[in-house]
Amino acid sequence: MDAVTGDRDNGRMTTPSSRRPGRPPLADWRRHLHLSDLRGLAQLATQGTLGITELVEKVQGNVYKAVAAPFGAAGQKFVDRTAGASGVRKSGITGLVYGSVKGVTRLAGGSVEALLSRVVPKAGPQASSPQREALLAALNGVLGDQLLDTANPLAIRMSLRHDGQCLPMDKVALAQHLPRATGKILLLVHGLCMNDLQWRADSPADGLPGHGQDYGEGLARELGYTPVYLHYNTGLHTSVNGGQLAALLEQLLQAWPQEVEALTLLTHSMGGLVARSACHSAAAQGMHWPSRLRHLVFLGTPHHGAPLEKIGSWVDTVLGGNPLTRPFAKIGQIRSAGITDLRHGNVLPADWQGADRFAGGPDTRQPLPLPAGVACFAVAATLGGAPAAATAGRKLDDALGDGLVPLSSALGQHAEAARCLAFRADRQWVAAGTGHIALLHSLPVYQQLRRWLG
């Protein structure tokens, strides 16, 4: 199974030892991008130009409507009142200009698409790089649902990987890829806008000295796990990714070259929501892999949402409440389904189906407890020191959390008892002086994981 749609990920990473890429100069990107990437970026450029043109047209149309309103029927003659129209009359000069811009853009975009679609199949497989993987991960986090809906070649397909290579779901081929596989599987699930290579720090000094290059390698050395890394489109609904992960894990256990004794899921941020969704989906379908699931670890998972998405929803509401600024609300609504799921921590399809995901409102999620019979652990983080005992200090620590996820959300705590996640006291831990991304490669976090999983 390819890691990314198209045929470009069959090769090995060009720099497998560097997992957290720097930012190359713009001119240097030609070394990292594939022809299929250029095709996808060209599609985005065409859609972006059309979107900006329509935004400007709607702003101008709303201005026309506001100016024409005091003049009653006479003013309405100069405005297109058709339902769903921008307000700019198509038969007028302004309407013709906007129509011409959009027509030329579609023509140019179609020509580029036709040219690249002929060239890409002839290019053959190309090696990827950490820089390219980071770019694709970020694009998928923000626009992943739209990339999938438009069949954009930049859209990532879910896959299981090891050392940046996609793992085959065949027993013989998998044994060749993982000759030292044990009966203990450790699946690492990344978060929003990230990828499987980013479990490693920017430099060895920021990593896990003496314990390998990432949590997977360290736990393999010290506890006998075989690490496997999930790679997925974080812009899709968490429940969609959860359903795909459930099916993929079922395939993995069937193809695993050893008898599976234990399965452990180590998740970061959004990855924890995807894992919870996968457990629910697998149980509902009677899959076998949950019977091998022994541990489920959450690092900075927003079980009850993240403030930044809630702020984004509030901005949408404010902009949408004024006729003149309403078109600008569409800019914020470009964000993916995966991002809007983080407002409250959606896990189930029922949490979002049949609702406007950009509309504000109360938390209407269906409560979902932790999976039964599984040892579940929660790691939260705070940017300050040890969590304060005083009420005022504790409130500040909780609000700041790791910079993205509040302490209470990461620990599964909620004002409504039915929504609280029942983590045992000895299975909760707070990493002091640690940011959200630093949870991916923290020595104190690793040491806590080793104590729990050992």
Side-chain angles (χ1 to χ4, degrees):
M1 183 185 301
D2 291 339
V4 183
T5 53
D7 57 357
R8 58 179 184 271
D9 278 341
N10 296 321
R12 181 182 291 272
M13 297 295 154
T14 54
T15 54
S17 61
S18 175
R19 296 303 184 94
R20 294 273 295 171
R23 295 182 179 179
L26 186 60
D28 200 39
W29 273 107
R30 63 179 178 270
R31 293 194 301 109
H32 300 288
L33 294 178
H34 297 175
L35 286 174
S36 56
D37 300 336
L38 296 178
R39 180 184 174 193
L41 290 171
Q43 289 181 18
L44 284 180
T46 300
Q47 294 162 6
T49 302
L50 291 171
I52 291 297
T53 303
E54 290 173 358
L55 172 65
V56 174
E57 182 179 1
K58 287 180 180 178
V59 171
Q60 187 166 354
N62 285 350
V63 171
Y64 283 178
K65 292 175 184 178
V67 172
F71 297 94
Q76 299 307 311
K77 295 179 180 179
F78 299 93
V79 178
D80 184 355
R81 306 297 297 181
T82 305
S86 66
V88 176
R89 295 178 62 190
K90 292 182 174 58
S91 58
I93 294 178
T94 304
L96 291 174
V97 170
Y98 284 125
S100 298
V101 170
K102 288 186 280 188
V104 170
T105 300
R106 290 190 181 97
L107 178 62
S111 300
V112 173
E113 167 69 15
L115 175 62
L116 290 176
S117 64
R118 295 178 182 177
V119 176
V120 169
K122 300 178 182 179
Q126 295 175 264
S128 190
S129 68
Q131 290 84 354
R132 173 177 172 273
E133 295 291 324
L135 172 65
L136 294 180
L139 285 173
N140 276 260
V142 178
L143 303 168
D145 52 348
Q146 298 176 52
L147 295 178
L148 182 64
D149 290 344
T150 57
N152 191 300
L154 296 173
I156 292 174
R157 284 188 204 164
M158 181 178 286
S159 65
L160 297 173
R161 308 212 292 189
H162 185 84
D163 283 339
Q165 293 188 88
C166 187
L167 294 175
M169 293 297 101
D170 173 80
K171 190 178 288 288
V172 174
L174 191 57
Q176 294 174 347
H177 275 75
L178 300 174
R180 298 181 181 179
T182 67
K184 297 169 63 177
I185 303 174
L186 175 68
L187 176 65
L188 294 89
V189 186
H190 63 76
L192 178 70
C193 290
M194 304 199 77
N195 66 75
D196 56 302
L197 303 181
Q198 291 171 310
W199 283 94
R200 293 188 178 181
D202 291 318
S203 66
D206 297 326
L208 309 172
H211 301 283
Q213 299 187 66
D214 64 17
Y215 297 149
E217 186 173 319
L219 294 172
R221 289 182 182 181
E222 300 186 43
L223 299 181
Y225 282 96
T226 300
V228 175
Y229 301 78
L230 185 69
H231 185 228
Y232 67 104
N233 180 346
T234 59
L236 305 184
H237 280 293
T238 52
S239 58
V240 172
N241 278 322
Q244 293 180 12
L245 174 57
L248 198 54
L249 280 173
E250 193 78 349
Q251 295 179 45
L252 177 68
L253 264 66
Q254 291 175 0
W256 197 252
Q258 303 290 337
E259 178 67 25
V260 178
E261 306 167 15
L263 170 64
T264 293
L265 304 185
L266 175 56
T267 70
H268 177 250
S269 195
M270 173 191 279
L273 301 179
V274 172
R276 288 177 58 203
S277 180
C279 290
H280 174 80
S281 178
Q285 299 178 66
M287 294 183 178
H288 301 301
W289 66 262
S291 66
R292 293 291 184 269
L293 182 60
R294 300 290 181 265
H295 309 98
L296 179 50
V297 185
F298 304 96
L299 307 180
T301 293
H303 294 291
H304 299 305
L308 285 180
E309 168 48 31
K310 294 175 183 177
I311 292 173
S313 177
W314 175 79
V315 171
D316 289 344
T317 302
V318 172
L319 291 176
N322 185 298
L324 296 182
T325 60
R326 189 171 297 138
F328 292 100
K330 296 297 182 182
I331 296 178
Q333 293 175 1
I334 292 174
R335 64 189 188 277
S336 69
I339 291 177
T340 55
D341 274 349
L342 295 179
R343 186 181 314 151
H344 296 298
N346 291 348
V347 174
L348 303 175
D351 294 338
W352 57 268
Q353 288 178 343
D356 179 359
R357 64 188 180 91
F358 297 110
D363 182 358
T364 59
R365 292 174 300 154
Q366 294 185 5
L368 180 68
L370 296 171
V374 179
C376 295
F377 307 86
V379 173
T382 175
L383 295 175
T391 303
R394 177 69 188 196
K395 287 183 177 179
L396 180 60
D397 285 334
D398 181 58
L400 291 177
D402 60 21
L404 290 177
V405 180
L407 282 177
S408 59
S409 185
L411 297 176
Q413 300 166 354
H414 198 279
E416 300 176 26
R419 298 187 185 279
C420 289
L421 300 181
F423 290 105
R424 279 177 20 184
D426 61 339
R427 293 175 178 173
Q428 300 178 43
W429 188 74
V430 178
T434 304
H436 189 70
I437 302 302
L439 284 170
L440 285 166
H441 35 73
S442 160
L443 181 57
V445 170
Y446 173 75
Q447 293 169 338
Q448 184 62 41
L449 293 175
R450 188 178 57 189
R451 284 191 288 269
W452 278 338
L453 303 179

